[in-house]
Amino acid sequence: MTDPTTSVTTVAEGIARISWSPDEPIDVIRHSVVAALLDHARVEALVDPGDESAQRAATWSGLRREGVMRGVTVDGDPVDRVVYARLATDAPLNEPEGFRALLNSFLPRKRAISQMLLRDRDGRVLLCQLTYKQDWDLPGGVVEVGESPQLAVGREVEEELGLTLPVGPLVLTDWLPAWSGWDDALCLVFDGGEHDASITDSIVKQAREIRSAEFCTVEEVRERCADFTARRIESALANLGTGRSAYTESGR
């Protein structure tokens, strides 16, 4: 049995790459990271996504998870590697900010989508025909990093439809499981209020994303939307006026 070893190699100007044997104590790896940062601006490690022990070692050695590098050639074969790194300018781990940043780098993150439920006086729902898929959907879009979901839906409606509208309370949280290349996500449906049907005359479509927008009956919603979208809309409609936000999974 060989002794544990840690290797630090300069791979570019100011960048060191560290690797270690499976039995290497974390304190030794951490010390090697600190020592390498005396002469480098960045220390990084490429870790096998299937090696949970190595991922834990990277984390508790102070390296932040940055993402997955796909198709790295190792021993002649393309493989994926999780990239961990620490910069000389990162806050020390013994400071609250530094420890929180370390945890934030590897804790799960979930995509959020905000949508607006707009109705006319007859109870029809405003749907958008999108340029990038066949199904119709509620107006809205992806929440940006650091953005409030409630502000996001107002921004999306203004950008896509040219409508500046007050955003009401949350009426539904719908979890969408991973599907067809998409990670799972939370869809948050906000009350957009009731409007005269003539509001569609004021719509200025964002041509890159919106083909058309019109008020639709529940029957038309079922015809035009994906089944999970139709279920979400019907669940949101059913929850209006209850004074609380409902929770569904794929609209159920």
Side-chain angles (χ1 to χ4, degrees):
M1 181 176 178
T2 59
D3 293 331
T5 56
T6 297
S7 171
V8 177
T9 305
T10 300
V11 294
E13 184 176 355
I15 301 175
R17 185 167 297 161
I18 186 170
S19 61
W20 55 88
S21 63
D23 297 323
E24 190 73 277
I26 289 176
D27 285 347
V28 173
I29 305 172
R30 185 185 299 121
H31 176 77
S32 297
V33 170
V34 172
L37 286 172
L38 296 175
D39 302 314
H40 300 83
R42 171 186 172 90
V43 176
E44 64 183 26
L46 304 183
V47 179
D48 185 340
D51 191 341
E52 294 184 3
S53 176
Q55 293 182 57
R56 284 195 296 272
T59 298
W60 300 121
S61 299
L63 301 172
R64 299 184 191 179
R65 180 181 171 125
E66 294 185 337
V68 177
M69 185 182 297
R70 299 182 299 151
V72 180
T73 301
V74 176
D75 297 329
D77 296 319
V79 297
D80 295 346
R81 288 293 180 262
V82 183
V83 181
Y84 289 85
R86 184 163 187 83
L87 306 183
T89 54
D90 286 343
L93 292 178
N94 60 355
E95 295 182 4
E97 180 185 353
F99 186 64
R100 287 194 297 266
L102 178 68
L103 293 180
N104 190 60
S105 75
F106 71 85
L107 288 175
R109 301 181 184 187
K110 199 173 295 292
R111 182 176 295 112
I113 302 165
S114 284
Q115 295 186 325
M116 187 178 286
L117 186 68
L118 292 157
R119 289 94 58 214
D120 68 3
R121 308 299 182 198
D122 295 323
R124 296 182 301 172
V125 176
L126 186 69
L127 290 182
C128 294
Q129 183 183 24
L130 306 172
T131 60
Y132 50 87
K133 64 179 183 179
Q134 293 183 341
D135 306 327
W136 291 56
D137 211 338
L138 292 173
V142 175
V143 181
E144 300 292 345
V145 175
E147 183 180 32
S148 151
Q150 193 167 36
L151 292 178
V153 73
R155 171 186 58 76
E156 286 284 347
V157 169
E158 185 171 2
E159 290 176 357
E160 295 182 350
L161 302 178
L163 299 176
T164 302
L165 300 172
V167 182
L170 180 70
V171 294
L172 184 72
T173 299
D174 187 32
W175 177 69
L176 305 175
W179 175 78
S180 190
W182 287 103
D183 290 340
D184 72 317
L186 288 175
C187 185
L188 308 174
V189 182
F190 291 88
D191 186 2
E194 192 175 278
H195 304 267
D196 192 277
S198 63
I199 194 175
T200 55
D201 297 335
S202 303
I203 288 177
V204 180
K205 299 188 298 294
Q206 184 184 59
R208 180 166 50 85
E209 294 192 23
I210 308 296
R211 285 198 180 95
S212 62
E214 58 185 79
F215 284 105
C216 299
T217 65
V218 172
E219 290 72 21
E220 290 170 327
V221 167
R222 293 169 183 157
E223 292 172 359
R224 300 183 182 192
C225 297
D227 56 356
F228 57 88
T229 302
R231 290 194 300 268
R232 181 189 316 133
I233 293 172
E234 291 188 62
S235 295
L237 287 170
N239 199 54
L240 282 172
T242 64
R244 60 181 178 82
S245 173
Y247 172 79
T248 56
E249 297 187 353
S250 285
R252 297 188 176 92

